[in-house]
Amino acid sequence: MSDQKPKNEGQINIELDDKTAEGTYANLAIINHSVSEFIVDFISVMPGQPKAKVKSRIILTPQHAKRLVKALAENVKRFENNHGEIKDYEQPPIPMNFGPTGEA
């Protein structure tokens, strides 16, 4: 027997098809949660349009949501170190009158 581990151990082969690689534009995210999951709805809101559609919904465990927050914060920090501070402009409130509340 050999004590050598296969080179691919611990690696995940991630596939990205062409349609998914195109991405989906969103300029608003609505986050709801229950005791067991976080639900993030990505929405594209266009100026002057009274209606907007959810373009994508991602459901995460609380642990994965926390990891996402940390990873996003680290990437924003790296971006700002390379390109300068990201300005956060004041936006008028968007009415939130759709979908269920954050209860399961």
Coordinates of all heavy atoms in Angstrom, one line a residue:
M1 N 0.8 -1.2 0.0 CA 0.0 0.0 0.0 C 0.9 1.2 0.0 O 1.9 1.3 0.6 CB -0.9 0.0 1.2 CG -2.1 -0.9 1.2 SD -3.3 -0.3 2.4 CE -4.7 -0.6 1.4
S2 N 0.4 2.3 -0.6 CA 1.1 3.5 -0.7 C 0.4 4.6 0.2 O -0.8 4.6 0.3 CB 1.1 4.0 -2.2 OG 1.7 5.3 -2.3
D3 N 1.2 5.4 0.8 CA 0.7 6.5 1.6 C 0.4 7.8 0.7 O 0.0 8.8 1.3 CB 1.7 6.9 2.7 CG 1.7 5.8 3.8 OD1 0.7 5.1 3.9 OD2 2.8 5.7 4.4
Q4 N 0.7 7.7 -0.6 CA 0.5 8.8 -1.4 C -1.0 9.0 -1.7 O -1.7 8.1 -1.9 CB 1.2 8.7 -2.7 CG 2.7 8.7 -2.6 CD 3.4 8.5 -4.0 OE1 2.8 8.1 -4.9 NE2 4.7 8.8 -4.0
K5 N -1.4 10.3 -1.6 CA -2.8 10.6 -1.9 C -3.0 11.0 -3.4 O -2.1 11.6 -3.9 CB -3.3 11.8 -1.0 CG -3.3 11.5 0.5 CD -3.8 12.7 1.2 CE -3.8 12.4 2.7 NZ -4.2 13.6 3.5
P6 N -4.1 10.7 -3.9 CA -4.3 11.1 -5.3 C -4.2 12.6 -5.4 O -4.6 13.3 -4.5 CB -5.8 10.6 -5.6 CG -6.1 9.6 -4.6 CD -5.2 9.9 -3.4
K7 N -3.7 13.1 -6.6 CA -3.5 14.5 -6.7 C -4.9 15.3 -6.7 O -4.9 16.5 -6.3 CB -2.8 14.8 -8.0 CG -1.4 14.4 -8.0 CD -0.7 14.7 -9.3 CE 0.7 14.2 -9.3 NZ 1.4 14.4 -10.5
N8 N -6.0 14.7 -7.1 CA -7.2 15.4 -7.1 C -8.0 15.3 -5.9 O -9.1 15.8 -5.8 CB -8.1 14.8 -8.3 CG -7.5 15.1 -9.6 OD1 -6.6 15.9 -9.7 ND2 -7.9 14.4 -10.6
E9 N -7.5 14.7 -4.8 CA -8.3 14.6 -3.6 C -8.5 16.0 -3.0 O -7.6 16.8 -2.9 CB -7.5 13.7 -2.6 CG -8.3 13.4 -1.3 CD -7.7 12.5 -0.4 OE1 -7.1 11.5 -0.9 OE2 -7.7 12.7 0.8
G10 N -9.7 16.3 -2.6 CA -10.1 17.5 -2.0 C -10.4 18.6 -3.1 O -10.8 19.7 -2.7
Q11 N -10.3 18.3 -4.3 CA -10.7 19.2 -5.4 C -12.1 18.9 -5.9 O -12.5 17.7 -6.0 CB -9.7 19.2 -6.5 CG -8.3 19.7 -6.1 CD -7.3 19.6 -7.3 OE1 -7.6 19.1 -8.4 NE2 -6.2 20.2 -7.1
I12 N -12.8 19.9 -6.4 CA -14.1 19.8 -7.0 C -14.0 20.2 -8.4 O -13.5 21.3 -8.7 CB -15.1 20.6 -6.2 CG1 -15.2 20.2 -4.8 CG2 -16.5 20.5 -6.9 CD1 -16.1 21.1 -4.0
N13 N -14.5 19.4 -9.3 CA -14.6 19.7 -10.7 C -15.9 20.5 -11.0 O -16.9 19.9 -10.9 CB -14.5 18.4 -11.6 CG -14.5 18.8 -13.1 OD1 -14.3 19.9 -13.5 ND2 -14.7 17.7 -13.9
I14 N -15.8 21.8 -11.2 CA -16.9 22.6 -11.4 C -17.1 22.9 -12.9 O -16.2 23.4 -13.5 CB -16.8 23.9 -10.6 CG1 -16.7 23.6 -9.1 CG2 -18.0 24.9 -10.9 CD1 -16.3 24.8 -8.2
E15 N -18.3 22.6 -13.4 CA -18.6 22.9 -14.8 C -19.5 24.2 -14.9 O -20.3 24.4 -14.0 CB -19.4 21.7 -15.4 CG -18.5 20.5 -15.4 CD -19.3 19.3 -16.1 OE1 -20.3 19.5 -16.7 OE2 -18.8 18.2 -16.0
L16 N -19.2 24.9 -15.9 CA -20.0 26.2 -16.2 C -20.4 26.1 -17.6 O -19.6 26.3 -18.5 CB -19.1 27.4 -15.9 CG -19.6 28.8 -16.1 CD1 -20.8 29.0 -15.2 CD2 -18.6 29.8 -16.0
D17 N -21.7 25.9 -17.8 CA -22.2 25.9 -19.2 C -22.3 27.3 -19.8 O -22.2 28.3 -19.1 CB -23.6 25.2 -19.3 CG -24.7 25.9 -18.5 OD1 -24.9 27.1 -18.7 OD2 -25.4 25.2 -17.7
D18 N -22.4 27.4 -21.1 CA -22.4 28.7 -21.8 C -23.5 29.6 -21.3 O -23.3 30.8 -21.1 CB -22.5 28.5 -23.3 CG -21.3 27.8 -23.9 OD1 -20.2 27.9 -23.2 OD2 -21.4 27.3 -25.0
K19 N -24.7 29.1 -21.1 CA -25.9 29.9 -20.7 C -25.6 30.5 -19.4 O -25.8 31.7 -19.1 CB -27.2 29.1 -20.7 CG -28.4 29.9 -20.2 CD -29.2 30.3 -21.3 CE -30.5 30.9 -20.8 NZ -30.6 32.3 -20.9
T20 N -25.2 29.7 -18.4 CA -24.9 30.2 -17.1 C -23.7 31.2 -17.1 O -23.7 32.2 -16.4 CB -24.6 29.1 -16.1 OG1 -25.7 28.1 -16.2 CG2 -24.4 29.5 -14.7
A21 N -22.7 31.0 -17.9 CA -21.5 31.8 -18.0 C -21.9 33.2 -18.5 O -21.2 34.2 -18.1 CB -20.5 31.2 -18.9
E22 N -23.0 33.4 -19.2 CA -23.4 34.7 -19.7 C -23.8 35.6 -18.5 O -23.7 36.8 -18.5 CB -24.6 34.6 -20.6 CG -24.3 34.0 -21.9 CD -25.5 33.8 -22.8 OE1 -26.6 34.4 -22.5 OE2 -25.4 33.2 -23.8
G23 N -24.3 35.0 -17.4 CA -24.7 35.7 -16.2 C -26.1 36.4 -16.4 O -26.6 36.4 -17.5
T24 N -26.6 36.9 -15.3 CA -27.8 37.6 -15.2 C -27.6 38.9 -14.5 O -27.1 38.9 -13.4 CB -28.9 36.7 -14.5 OG1 -29.0 35.5 -15.2 CG2 -30.2 37.4 -14.5
Y25 N -28.1 40.0 -15.1 CA -27.9 41.3 -14.5 C -28.9 41.5 -13.3 O -30.1 41.2 -13.5 CB -28.1 42.4 -15.5 CG -27.9 43.8 -14.9 CD1 -26.7 44.3 -14.5 CD2 -29.1 44.6 -14.6 CE1 -26.6 45.5 -13.9 CE2 -28.9 45.8 -14.0 CZ -27.7 46.3 -13.7 OH -27.6 47.5 -13.1
A26 N -28.5 42.0 -12.2 CA -29.3 42.3 -11.1 C -28.8 43.6 -10.4 O -27.6 43.7 -10.3 CB -29.4 41.2 -10.1
N27 N -29.7 44.5 -10.0 CA -29.2 45.7 -9.3 C -29.9 45.8 -8.0 O -29.9 46.9 -7.4 CB -29.4 46.9 -10.2 CG -30.8 47.1 -10.7 OD1 -31.7 46.4 -10.3 ND2 -31.0 48.1 -11.5
L28 N -30.6 44.7 -7.5 CA -31.2 44.7 -6.3 C -31.2 43.3 -5.7 O -31.4 42.3 -6.5 CB -32.7 45.2 -6.4 CG -33.5 45.1 -5.1 CD1 -33.0 46.1 -4.1 CD2 -35.0 45.5 -5.5
A29 N -31.0 43.1 -4.5 CA -31.1 41.8 -3.8 C -32.0 42.0 -2.6 O -31.8 42.9 -1.8 CB -29.7 41.3 -3.4
I30 N -32.9 41.1 -2.5 CA -33.8 41.0 -1.3 C -33.5 39.7 -0.6 O -33.4 38.7 -1.2 CB -35.3 40.9 -1.8 CG1 -35.7 42.1 -2.7 CG2 -36.2 40.9 -0.6 CD1 -35.7 43.4 -2.1
I31 N -33.3 39.9 0.7 CA -32.8 38.7 1.5 C -33.9 38.5 2.6 O -34.2 39.4 3.4 CB -31.4 39.0 2.2 CG1 -30.4 39.3 1.1 CG2 -31.0 37.8 3.0 CD1 -29.1 39.8 1.6
N32 N -34.3 37.3 2.7 CA -35.2 36.8 3.7 C -34.6 35.6 4.4 O -33.7 35.0 3.8 CB -36.6 36.4 3.1 CG -37.4 37.6 2.7 OD1 -37.8 38.4 3.6 ND2 -37.7 37.7 1.4
H33 N -35.0 35.2 5.6 CA -34.4 34.1 6.2 C -35.4 33.4 7.2 O -36.4 34.0 7.6 CB -33.2 34.4 7.0 CG -33.4 35.4 8.1 ND1 -33.8 35.1 9.4 CD2 -33.3 36.8 8.1 CE1 -33.9 36.1 10.1 NE2 -33.7 37.2 9.4
S34 N -35.2 32.2 7.4 CA -35.9 31.4 8.4 C -34.8 30.8 9.3 O -33.7 31.1 9.2 CB -36.7 30.3 7.8 OG -35.9 29.3 7.3
V35 N -35.2 30.0 10.2 CA -34.3 29.4 11.2 C -33.3 28.5 10.4 O -32.2 28.2 10.9 CB -35.0 28.7 12.3 CG1 -35.7 27.4 11.9 CG2 -34.0 28.4 13.5
S36 N -33.7 28.0 9.3 CA -32.9 27.0 8.6 C -32.3 27.4 7.3 O -31.5 26.7 6.7 CB -33.7 25.7 8.4 OG -34.8 26.0 7.5
E37 N -32.7 28.6 6.7 CA -32.1 29.0 5.4 C -32.2 30.5 5.2 O -33.0 31.2 5.8 CB -32.9 28.2 4.3 CG -34.4 28.5 4.3 CD -35.1 27.5 3.4 OE1 -34.6 26.4 3.1 OE2 -36.3 27.8 3.1
F38 N -31.3 30.9 4.3 CA -31.4 32.3 3.8 C -31.8 32.2 2.4 O -31.3 31.4 1.6 CB -30.0 32.9 3.9 CG -29.7 33.5 5.3 CD1 -29.4 32.6 6.3 CD2 -29.6 34.8 5.5 CE1 -29.1 33.1 7.6 CE2 -29.3 35.3 6.8 CZ -29.1 34.5 7.8
I39 N -32.7 33.1 2.0 CA -33.2 33.2 0.6 C -32.8 34.5 0.0 O -33.1 35.6 0.6 CB -34.7 33.0 0.5 CG1 -35.1 31.6 1.1 CG2 -35.2 33.1 -0.9 CD1 -36.3 31.6 1.9
V40 N -32.0 34.5 -1.1 CA -31.6 35.7 -1.7 C -32.2 35.8 -3.1 O -31.9 34.9 -3.9 CB -30.0 35.8 -1.8 CG1 -29.6 37.1 -2.4 CG2 -29.4 35.5 -0.5
D41 N -33.1 36.8 -3.3 CA -33.7 37.0 -4.6 C -32.9 38.1 -5.3 O -32.8 39.2 -4.7 CB -35.1 37.4 -4.5 CG -36.0 36.2 -4.0 OD1 -35.7 35.1 -4.4 OD2 -37.0 36.5 -3.3
F42 N -32.4 37.9 -6.5 CA -31.7 38.9 -7.3 C -32.7 39.4 -8.3 O -33.4 38.7 -9.0 CB -30.5 38.3 -8.0 CG -29.4 37.9 -7.0 CD1 -29.3 36.6 -6.5 CD2 -28.5 38.8 -6.6 CE1 -28.3 36.2 -5.6 CE2 -27.5 38.5 -5.7 CZ -27.4 37.2 -5.2
I43 N -32.8 40.8 -8.4 CA -33.9 41.4 -9.1 C -33.2 42.5 -10.0 O -32.2 43.1 -9.6 CB -34.9 42.1 -8.2 CG1 -35.5 41.0 -7.3 CG2 -35.9 42.9 -8.9 CD1 -36.0 41.5 -6.0
S44 N -33.8 42.7 -11.2 CA -33.4 43.8 -12.1 C -34.5 44.8 -12.1 O -35.6 44.6 -12.6 CB -33.1 43.2 -13.5 OG -32.8 44.3 -14.4
V45 N -34.2 46.0 -11.5 CA -35.2 47.1 -11.4 C -34.8 48.1 -12.4 O -33.6 48.6 -12.4 CB -35.2 47.7 -10.0 CG1 -36.2 48.9 -9.9 CG2 -35.5 46.7 -9.0
M46 N -35.7 48.5 -13.3 CA -35.4 49.5 -14.3 C -36.1 50.8 -14.0 O -37.2 50.8 -13.6 CB -35.8 49.0 -15.7 CG -35.1 47.8 -16.2 SD -33.3 48.3 -16.4 CE -32.5 46.8 -15.8
P47 N -35.4 51.9 -14.2 CA -36.0 53.2 -13.8 C -37.3 53.5 -14.6 O -37.4 53.2 -15.8 CB -34.9 54.2 -14.3 CG -33.7 53.5 -14.3 CD -34.0 52.1 -14.7
G48 N -38.3 54.0 -13.9 CA -39.5 54.3 -14.5 C -40.5 53.1 -14.7 O -41.6 53.3 -15.2
Q49 N -40.0 51.9 -14.4 CA -40.9 50.8 -14.6 C -41.5 50.4 -13.2 O -40.8 50.2 -12.2 CB -40.0 49.6 -15.1 CG -39.4 49.8 -16.4 CD -40.5 49.9 -17.5 OE1 -41.4 49.1 -17.6 NE2 -40.3 50.9 -18.4
P50 N -42.8 50.3 -13.2 CA -43.5 50.0 -11.9 C -43.4 48.5 -11.5 O -43.8 48.2 -10.4 CB -44.9 50.3 -12.2 CG -45.1 50.1 -13.7 CD -43.8 50.5 -14.3
K51 N -42.8 47.7 -12.3 CA -42.8 46.2 -12.0 C -41.4 45.7 -12.3 O -40.7 46.2 -13.2 CB -43.8 45.5 -12.9 CG -44.1 44.1 -12.5 CD -45.2 43.6 -13.4 CE -45.6 42.2 -13.0 NZ -46.7 41.7 -13.7
A52 N -40.9 44.8 -11.4 CA -39.6 44.2 -11.6 C -39.8 42.7 -11.3 O -40.6 42.3 -10.5 CB -38.6 44.8 -10.7
K53 N -39.0 41.9 -12.0 CA -39.0 40.4 -11.8 C -37.8 39.9 -11.1 O -36.7 40.4 -11.3 CB -39.1 39.7 -13.2 CG -40.4 39.8 -13.9 CD -40.5 38.9 -15.1 CE -41.9 38.9 -15.6 NZ -42.0 37.9 -16.7
V54 N -38.0 38.9 -10.3 CA -36.9 38.2 -9.7 C -36.2 37.4 -10.8 O -36.9 36.6 -11.6 CB -37.4 37.2 -8.6 CG1 -36.2 36.3 -8.1 CG2 -38.0 38.0 -7.4
K55 N -34.9 37.6 -11.0 CA -34.2 37.0 -12.1 C -33.5 35.7 -11.6 O -33.3 34.8 -12.4 CB -33.1 37.9 -12.6 CG -33.6 39.2 -13.2 CD -34.4 38.9 -14.5 CE -34.8 40.1 -15.2 NZ -35.4 39.8 -16.5
S56 N -33.2 35.6 -10.3 CA -32.6 34.4 -9.8 C -32.9 34.3 -8.3 O -32.9 35.4 -7.6 CB -31.1 34.4 -10.0 OG -30.5 33.3 -9.6
R57 N -33.0 33.1 -7.8 CA -33.2 32.9 -6.3 C -32.2 31.9 -5.9 O -32.0 30.8 -6.4 CB -34.6 32.4 -6.0 CG -34.8 32.0 -4.5 CD -36.2 31.6 -4.2 NE -36.9 32.8 -3.9 CZ -38.1 32.9 -3.5 NH1 -38.8 31.8 -3.3 NH2 -38.7 34.1 -3.2
I58 N -31.4 32.3 -4.8 CA -30.4 31.4 -4.3 C -30.8 31.1 -2.8 O -31.1 32.0 -2.1 CB -29.0 32.0 -4.3 CG1 -28.6 32.5 -5.7 CG2 -28.0 31.1 -3.7 CD1 -28.5 31.3 -6.7
I59 N -30.8 29.8 -2.5 CA -31.2 29.4 -1.1 C -29.9 28.8 -0.4 O -29.3 27.9 -1.0 CB -32.3 28.4 -1.1 CG1 -33.5 29.0 -1.8 CG2 -32.7 27.9 0.3 CD1 -34.6 28.0 -2.2
L60 N -29.6 29.3 0.7 CA -28.4 29.0 1.4 C -28.7 28.5 2.8 O -29.6 29.1 3.5 CB -27.4 30.2 1.5 CG -27.0 30.9 0.2 CD1 -26.6 32.3 0.5 CD2 -25.9 30.1 -0.4
T61 N -27.8 27.7 3.4 CA -27.9 27.4 4.8 C -27.3 28.6 5.5 O -26.6 29.4 4.9 CB -27.1 26.1 5.2 OG1 -25.7 26.4 4.9 CG2 -27.5 24.9 4.4
P62 N -27.6 28.8 6.8 CA -27.0 29.9 7.6 C -25.5 29.9 7.5 O -24.9 30.9 7.4 CB -27.6 29.7 9.0 CG -28.9 29.0 8.8 CD -28.7 28.1 7.6
Q63 N -24.9 28.7 7.6 CA -23.5 28.6 7.6 C -22.9 29.1 6.2 O -21.9 29.8 6.2 CB -23.0 27.1 7.8 CG -23.3 26.7 9.3 CD -24.8 26.2 9.5 OE1 -25.5 26.1 8.5 NE2 -25.1 26.0 10.7
H64 N -23.6 28.7 5.1 CA -23.1 29.1 3.8 C -23.3 30.6 3.6 O -22.5 31.3 3.0 CB -23.8 28.3 2.7 CG -23.2 26.9 2.6 ND1 -24.0 25.8 2.7 CD2 -21.9 26.5 2.4 CE1 -23.2 24.7 2.6 NE2 -22.0 25.1 2.4
A65 N -24.4 31.1 4.2 CA -24.7 32.6 4.1 C -23.5 33.3 4.7 O -23.0 34.3 4.2 CB -26.0 32.9 4.7
K66 N -23.1 32.9 5.9 CA -22.0 33.5 6.6 C -20.7 33.4 5.8 O -20.0 34.4 5.8 CB -21.9 32.9 8.0 CG -21.0 33.7 8.9 CD -21.1 33.3 10.4 CE -20.3 34.2 11.3 NZ -20.5 33.9 12.7
R67 N -20.4 32.3 5.2 CA -19.2 32.1 4.4 C -19.3 33.1 3.2 O -18.3 33.7 2.8 CB -19.1 30.7 4.0 CG -18.6 29.8 5.0 CD -18.3 28.4 4.5 NE -18.4 27.4 5.6 CZ -19.1 26.3 5.6 NH1 -19.9 26.0 4.6 NH2 -19.1 25.6 6.7
L68 N -20.5 33.2 2.6 CA -20.6 34.1 1.5 C -20.3 35.6 1.9 O -19.6 36.3 1.2 CB -22.0 34.0 0.9 CG -22.4 35.0 -0.3 CD1 -21.4 34.7 -1.5 CD2 -23.8 34.8 -0.7
V69 N -20.9 36.0 3.0 CA -20.6 37.3 3.5 C -19.1 37.6 3.7 O -18.6 38.6 3.3 CB -21.4 37.6 4.9 CG1 -20.9 38.9 5.5 CG2 -22.8 37.7 4.6
K70 N -18.4 36.6 4.3 CA -17.0 36.8 4.5 C -16.2 36.8 3.2 O -15.3 37.7 3.0 CB -16.4 35.6 5.3 CG -16.8 35.7 6.8 CD -16.2 34.5 7.6 CE -16.6 34.5 9.0 NZ -16.1 33.4 9.8
A71 N -16.6 35.9 2.2 CA -15.9 35.9 0.9 C -16.2 37.2 0.2 O -15.3 37.8 -0.5 CB -16.4 34.7 0.1
L72 N -17.4 37.7 0.2 CA -17.7 38.9 -0.5 C -17.0 40.1 0.1 O -16.4 40.9 -0.6 CB -19.2 39.1 -0.5 CG -19.8 40.2 -1.4 CD1 -19.4 40.0 -2.8 CD2 -21.3 40.2 -1.3
A73 N -16.9 40.2 1.4 CA -16.2 41.3 2.1 C -14.7 41.3 1.7 O -14.1 42.3 1.5 CB -16.4 41.2 3.6
E74 N -14.1 40.1 1.7 CA -12.7 40.0 1.3 C -12.5 40.4 -0.1 O -11.5 41.1 -0.4 CB -12.2 38.5 1.5 CG -10.8 38.3 1.1 CD -9.8 39.1 1.9 OE1 -10.0 39.5 3.1 OE2 -8.8 39.5 1.3
N75 N -13.4 40.0 -1.0 CA -13.2 40.4 -2.4 C -13.5 41.9 -2.6 O -12.8 42.5 -3.4 CB -14.2 39.6 -3.3 CG -13.6 38.3 -3.7 OD1 -12.9 38.1 -4.7 ND2 -13.8 37.3 -2.8
V76 N -14.4 42.5 -1.9 CA -14.6 44.0 -2.0 C -13.3 44.7 -1.5 O -12.8 45.6 -2.1 CB -15.8 44.4 -1.2 CG1 -15.8 45.9 -1.0 CG2 -17.1 44.0 -1.8
K77 N -12.7 44.2 -0.4 CA -11.5 44.8 0.2 C -10.4 44.7 -0.9 O -9.7 45.7 -1.1 CB -11.1 44.0 1.4 CG -9.9 44.5 2.1 CD -9.6 43.7 3.4 CE -8.2 44.1 4.0 NZ -7.9 43.3 5.2
R78 N -10.2 43.5 -1.5 CA -9.2 43.4 -2.6 C -9.4 44.3 -3.7 O -8.5 45.0 -4.3 CB -9.1 42.0 -3.1 CG -8.3 41.1 -2.1 CD -8.0 39.7 -2.8 NE -8.8 38.8 -2.0 CZ -9.3 37.6 -2.5 NH1 -9.1 37.3 -3.8 NH2 -10.0 36.8 -1.8
F79 N -10.7 44.4 -4.2 CA -11.1 45.3 -5.3 C -10.7 46.8 -4.9 O -10.1 47.5 -5.7 CB -12.6 45.2 -5.6 CG -13.0 46.1 -6.7 CD1 -13.1 45.7 -8.0 CD2 -13.4 47.4 -6.4 CE1 -13.5 46.5 -9.0 CE2 -13.8 48.3 -7.4 CZ -13.9 47.8 -8.7
E80 N -11.1 47.2 -3.7 CA -10.8 48.6 -3.3 C -9.3 48.8 -3.2 O -8.8 49.9 -3.5 CB -11.6 48.9 -2.0 CG -13.0 49.1 -2.2 CD -13.8 49.5 -1.0 OE1 -13.4 49.1 0.1 OE2 -14.8 50.2 -1.2
N81 N -8.6 47.8 -2.7 CA -7.1 48.0 -2.7 C -6.5 48.2 -4.1 O -5.5 49.0 -4.2 CB -6.4 46.8 -2.0 CG -6.7 46.8 -0.5 OD1 -7.0 47.8 0.1 ND2 -6.5 45.6 0.1
N82 N -7.1 47.6 -5.1 CA -6.6 47.7 -6.4 C -7.2 48.9 -7.2 O -6.5 49.5 -8.1 CB -6.9 46.5 -7.2 CG -6.1 45.3 -6.8 OD1 -4.9 45.5 -6.3 ND2 -6.6 44.1 -6.9
H83 N -8.4 49.3 -6.9 CA -9.1 50.3 -7.7 C -9.6 51.5 -7.0 O -10.2 52.4 -7.6 CB -10.3 49.6 -8.4 CG -9.9 48.4 -9.3 ND1 -9.2 48.5 -10.5 CD2 -10.0 47.1 -9.0 CE1 -9.0 47.3 -11.0 NE2 -9.4 46.4 -10.1
G84 N -9.4 51.6 -5.7 CA -10.0 52.7 -4.9 C -11.3 52.3 -4.3 O -12.0 51.4 -4.7
E85 N -11.7 53.2 -3.4 CA -13.0 53.0 -2.7 C -14.2 53.0 -3.6 O -14.3 53.8 -4.5 CB -13.1 54.1 -1.6 CG -14.4 53.9 -0.7 CD -14.6 55.0 0.3 OE1 -13.7 55.8 0.4 OE2 -15.6 54.9 1.0
I86 N -15.1 52.0 -3.3 CA -16.3 52.0 -4.0 C -17.3 53.0 -3.4 O -17.5 52.9 -2.2 CB -16.9 50.6 -4.0 CG1 -16.0 49.5 -4.6 CG2 -18.3 50.5 -4.6 CD1 -16.4 48.1 -4.4
K87 N -17.8 53.9 -4.2 CA -18.7 54.9 -3.6 C -20.1 54.3 -3.4 O -20.6 53.6 -4.3 CB -18.8 56.1 -4.5 CG -17.5 56.9 -4.5 CD -17.6 58.2 -5.4 CE -16.5 59.1 -5.2 NZ -15.2 58.7 -5.7
D88 N -20.7 54.5 -2.3 CA -22.0 54.0 -2.0 C -23.0 55.2 -2.0 O -23.1 56.0 -1.1 CB -22.0 53.4 -0.6 CG -23.3 52.6 -0.3 OD1 -24.1 52.4 -1.3 OD2 -23.5 52.3 0.8
Y89 N -23.7 55.4 -3.2 CA -24.6 56.5 -3.3 C -25.9 56.2 -2.7 O -26.4 55.1 -2.6 CB -24.8 56.7 -4.8 CG -23.6 57.1 -5.6 CD1 -22.9 56.2 -6.4 CD2 -23.0 58.4 -5.5 CE1 -21.7 56.5 -7.0 CE2 -21.9 58.7 -6.1 CZ -21.2 57.8 -6.9 OH -20.1 58.1 -7.6
E90 N -26.5 57.3 -2.1 CA -27.8 57.1 -1.5 C -28.8 56.8 -2.6 O -28.8 57.4 -3.6 CB -28.2 58.5 -0.8 CG -27.4 58.8 0.4 CD -27.9 58.0 1.6 OE1 -29.1 57.6 1.7 OE2 -27.0 57.7 2.5
Q91 N -29.7 55.8 -2.3 CA -30.7 55.4 -3.3 C -32.1 55.6 -2.6 O -32.2 55.4 -1.4 CB -30.5 53.9 -3.6 CG -29.3 53.6 -4.4 CD -29.3 54.2 -5.8 OE1 -30.4 54.2 -6.5 NE2 -28.2 54.7 -6.3
P92 N -33.1 56.1 -3.4 CA -34.4 56.2 -2.8 C -34.9 54.8 -2.4 O -34.5 53.8 -3.1 CB -35.3 56.8 -3.9 CG -34.5 56.5 -5.2 CD -33.0 56.4 -4.8
P93 N -35.7 54.7 -1.4 CA -36.2 53.3 -1.0 C -37.0 52.7 -2.1 O -37.8 53.4 -2.7 CB -37.0 53.6 0.3 CG -37.3 55.1 0.3 CD -36.2 55.7 -0.5
I94 N -36.9 51.4 -2.2 CA -37.7 50.7 -3.2 C -38.8 50.0 -2.4 O -38.5 49.3 -1.4 CB -36.8 49.7 -3.9 CG1 -35.8 50.4 -4.7 CG2 -37.6 48.8 -4.8 CD1 -34.7 49.6 -5.4
P95 N -40.1 50.1 -2.8 CA -41.1 49.5 -2.1 C -41.0 47.9 -2.1 O -40.7 47.4 -3.2 CB -42.4 49.9 -2.9 CG -42.0 50.7 -4.0 CD -40.5 50.8 -4.0
M96 N -41.1 47.3 -1.0 CA -40.9 45.9 -0.9 C -42.3 45.2 -0.6 O -42.6 44.9 0.5 CB -40.0 45.5 0.3 CG -38.6 46.2 0.1 SD -37.8 45.6 -1.3 CE -36.5 46.8 -1.4
N97 N -43.1 45.1 -1.6 CA -44.4 44.6 -1.5 C -44.7 43.3 -2.2 O -45.7 43.2 -2.9 CB -45.4 45.7 -1.9 CG -45.2 46.1 -3.3 OD1 -44.3 45.7 -3.9 ND2 -46.2 46.9 -3.8
F98 N -43.7 42.4 -2.2 CA -43.9 41.1 -2.9 C -43.4 40.0 -2.1 O -42.5 40.2 -1.2 CB -43.2 41.2 -4.3 CG -41.7 41.1 -4.1 CD1 -41.1 39.8 -4.2 CD2 -40.9 42.2 -3.9 CE1 -39.7 39.7 -4.1 CE2 -39.5 42.1 -3.8 CZ -38.9 40.9 -3.9
G99 N -43.9 38.8 -2.3 CA -43.4 37.6 -1.8 C -43.7 37.5 -0.3 O -44.2 38.4 0.4
P100 N -43.3 36.3 0.3 CA -43.6 36.0 1.7 C -42.6 36.7 2.6 O -41.5 37.1 2.1 CB -43.4 34.5 1.7 CG -42.5 34.2 0.6 CD -42.8 35.2 -0.5
T101 N -42.9 36.8 3.8 CA -42.0 37.4 4.8 C -40.9 36.3 5.1 O -41.0 35.2 4.7 CB -42.7 37.8 6.1 OG1 -43.3 36.6 6.6 CG2 -43.8 38.9 5.8
G102 N -40.0 36.7 6.0 CA -38.9 35.8 6.3 C -39.2 34.8 7.3 O -38.4 34.5 8.2
E103 N -40.3 34.1 7.2 CA -40.7 33.1 8.2 C -40.9 31.8 7.4 O -41.4 31.8 6.3 CB -42.0 33.4 8.9 CG -41.8 34.7 9.8 CD -43.1 35.0 10.5 OE1 -44.0 34.2 10.6 OE2 -43.2 36.2 11.0
A104 N -40.6 30.7 8.0 CA -40.8 29.4 7.4 C -42.0 28.7 8.0 O -42.4 28.9 9.1 CB -39.6 28.5 7.5

